[in-house]
Amino acid sequence: MAKAGVQGSTRDREITGARVIVTCPGRNFVTLKIETKGGVTGLGDATLNGRELAVAAYLTEHVIPNLIGRDAGRIEDIWQFLYRGAYWRRGPVTMSAIAAVDVALWDILGKMAGMPLYQLLGGRSRDGALVYCHANGDSIEQASEAVGRYIEQGYLAVRAQSGVPGLAKTYGVTKSKLAYEPAESELPTETVWSTPKYLRHTPKLFERARADHGEEVLLLHDVHHRLTPIEAARLAKDLEPYRLFWFEDSTPAENQDAFKLIRQHSTTPLAVGEVFNSIWDCKGLIENQLIDYIRTTIVHGGGITHVRRIADFAALYGVRTGFHGATDLSPVTMGAALHFDTWVPNFGIQEYMHHTQETLDVFPHDYAFREGRLHVGDTPGHGVGIDETLAAKFPYAPKQLPIARLEDGAMWDW
Ligand code: KDG
Ligand code: MG
């Protein structure tokens, strides 16, 4: 491979090849590798949980043939070509594919410049990115104990989820007590949901967590789109005494105006956006100051080029970033997101679930956790690679996310 920092002529930057690598070191990941004439390569993540091969096919059939021969340094123009030029715009499949190309191109640019990605974006705004991890338990007691274990490990912010009495399975709670991994079977697992049971139970979880761990730890909670706006308003109000850092995805946000109702009734900070894929999904939420944290991250939001627009727009309204960071986003997204977090002036927090050791081995990386924060290294580009020989040992395994039904059998939001 060519030495970083000495490349950069138009000739060297010509895209000569691109490949999709699908691997399953514990869970499925789709990675795009772009190659240039000068020998510098870049990696982008294109993973869309449960729909991996749709993005892989979109890249292979419709995107890669358009990349060959282009100048890898024209990142903005390639983004516009893939978005504006495609006629069929937006949607998670398209925007994840565009993101993979965009991140791979920023990676190439960094390697050619001999600079870490955060430097290309404008340099450091902070030393490390505050992260939150996932604590969960079948009962309130177990969930609160899990919060305590993470505090002992140095986490400053912890998401807490607990089982709900009367429900066999609850979002965010895993039998193994490790971080939650919802895509567990080839066809969707069916789960049963009861809003009244959940609404009665959840304030008690945070009452207990505050009693056990005091006021300092930042506590977060994810509703996972299960409530109507008025139910979300009620729970946000009931949780006010426990001073949450954020209350996430309390209602589906196709209707951005729904958040007005929640806002009218509560000062609990609101976070949303992990399923969004463009600025048009959150423009109203941001400009009407209906949310406090925008969660749309690099891989599902069209890459650095587009998420930067969302973040800059959000900054005008005092909305901060809180990027999605579940384990179905590969270490490539985590690396790129952490560079972005290190730069972006209106950073809030970064989600950090722990990848399996197999995943970390397939994707060598230079970010590391210290004292509640993740720190990126100074490797040129985003600092995450792929061991293709090892990746080939973990073939794709089809898995889908669960679905939820109400107790009477009707479909609900999972
Ligand atoms: O693929 C779906 C997961 O990424 C999602 O369920 C995780 O809600 C999630 C979160 O906040 O991490
Ligand atoms: Mg979530």
Side-chain angles (χ1 to χ4, degrees):
M1 195 171 114
K3 207 169 148 228
V6 297
Q7 303 285 307
S9 73
T10 314
R11 187 187 164 279
D12 287 336
R13 292 198 310 250
E14 184 184 324
I15 298 175
T16 50
R19 281 181 296 121
V20 173
I21 303 158
V22 180
T23 179
C24 184
R27 69 167 325 117
N28 294 312
F29 295 110
V30 178
T31 308
L32 177 71
K33 184 168 191 174
I34 297 184
E35 293 156 357
T36 57
K37 192 166 254 172
V40 174
T41 61
L43 288 185
D45 178 24
T47 308
L48 185 61
N49 204 4
R51 296 290 182 270
E52 294 87 359
L53 298 189
V55 191
Y58 189 83
L59 279 166
T60 307
E61 302 296 326
H62 307 294
V63 173
I64 290 174
N66 290 294
L67 295 178
I68 309 303
R70 285 180 194 277
D71 178 352
R74 295 193 173 205
I75 299 176
E76 182 70 50
D77 185 61
I78 290 177
W79 194 93
Q80 298 291 341
F81 175 87
L82 294 173
Y83 179 87
R84 231 166 241 257
Y87 190 65
W88 309 109
R89 292 183 186 180
R90 303 162 60 189
V93 173
T94 304
M95 296 305 275
S96 301
I98 295 178
V101 174
D102 187 73
V103 170
L105 296 180
W106 280 98
D107 193 27
I108 288 171
L109 186 67
K111 287 173 179 167
M112 286 184 168
M115 288 182 190
L117 179 51
Y118 70 78
Q119 196 62 57
L120 301 180
L121 292 169
R124 276 186 187 280
S125 296
R126 56 191 57 77
D127 294 332
L130 175 71
V131 295
Y132 73 91
C133 58
H134 289 198
N136 71 82
D138 285 335
S139 64
I140 285 176
E141 291 68 30
Q142 287 171 5
S144 185
E145 277 165 30
V147 171
R149 284 195 293 276
Y150 281 117
I151 295 171
E152 277 166 25
Q153 288 170 34
Y155 285 89
L156 306 170
V158 185
R159 186 186 96 162
Q161 311 284 140
S162 89
V164 174
L167 296 183
K169 266 178 169 264
T170 313
Y171 167 75
V173 179
T174 175
K175 290 283 167 244
S176 70
K177 303 294 160 288
L178 298 170
Y180 191 55
E181 293 287 355
E184 55 189 7
S185 53
E186 201 164 332
L187 293 176
T189 310
E190 301 228 348
T191 63
V192 176
W193 174 251
S194 160
T195 297
K197 288 181 174 129
Y198 170 77
L199 286 181
R200 278 198 299 275
H201 185 71
T202 302
K204 295 179 203 154
L205 166 65
F206 287 94
E207 183 182 17
R208 174 67 185 257
R210 281 287 174 228
D212 287 352
H213 308 296
E215 293 296 320
E216 202 161 327
V217 61
L218 306 174
L219 293 175
L220 301 83
H221 184 68
D222 188 352
V223 182
H224 222 258
H225 317 276
R226 307 287 168 93
L227 303 177
T228 65
I230 195 65
E231 290 161 354
R234 154 97 75 78
L235 183 56
K237 195 171 166 182
D238 288 351
L239 291 172
E240 273 178 10
Y242 313 115
R243 292 283 190 269
L244 262 56
F245 181 89
W246 85 28
F247 182 59
E248 176 184 335
D249 286 350
S250 54
T251 195
E254 282 101 331
N255 173 15
Q256 298 182 34
D257 283 347
F259 277 70
K260 283 186 188 151
L261 195 66
I262 313 173
R263 262 297 199 239
Q264 278 163 11
H265 292 283
S266 171
T267 55
T268 295
L270 304 177
V272 75
E274 66 183 45
V275 300
F276 296 172
N277 49 70
S278 97
I279 196 164
W280 301 103
D281 297 326
C282 51
K283 181 172 171 288
L285 288 169
I286 292 171
E287 69 192 351
N288 295 312
Q289 298 178 92
L290 300 178
I291 56 170
D292 303 281
Y293 297 93
I294 180 70
R295 284 183 45 70
T296 311
T297 190
I298 314 283
V299 56
H300 301 138
I304 289 161
T305 298
H306 191 64
V307 171
R308 185 166 64 172
R309 293 209 164 91
I310 298 178
D312 278 346
F313 182 64
L316 301 179
Y317 297 94
V319 175
R320 293 192 281 157
T321 63
F323 287 166
H324 189 200
T327 38
D328 44 286
L329 285 61
S330 93
V332 173
T333 286
M334 184 54 88
L338 288 169
H339 280 268
F340 196 100
D341 297 337
T342 299
W343 155 72
V344 71
N346 49 324
F347 171 73
I349 200 165
Q350 169 69 53
E351 182 179 14
Y352 177 40
M353 270 175 81
H354 303 159
H355 284 116
T356 62
Q357 192 54 49
E358 286 88 347
T359 298
L360 297 174
D361 293 343
V362 167
F363 296 98
H365 56 281
D366 73 351
Y367 56 80
F369 176 81
R370 284 196 305 280
E371 294 168 357
R373 295 186 165 78
L374 275 170
H375 300 260
V376 284
D378 279 329
T379 309
H382 55 51
V384 184
I386 187 163
D387 179 337
E388 290 191 58
T389 312
L390 191 56
K393 294 190 177 148
F394 300 106
Y396 169 72
K399 294 243 165 69
Q400 292 194 50
L401 288 167
I403 57 144
R405 291 185 184 275
L406 298 179
E407 287 166 306
D408 68 1
M411 277 293 293
W412 198 245
D413 306 275
W414 177 73

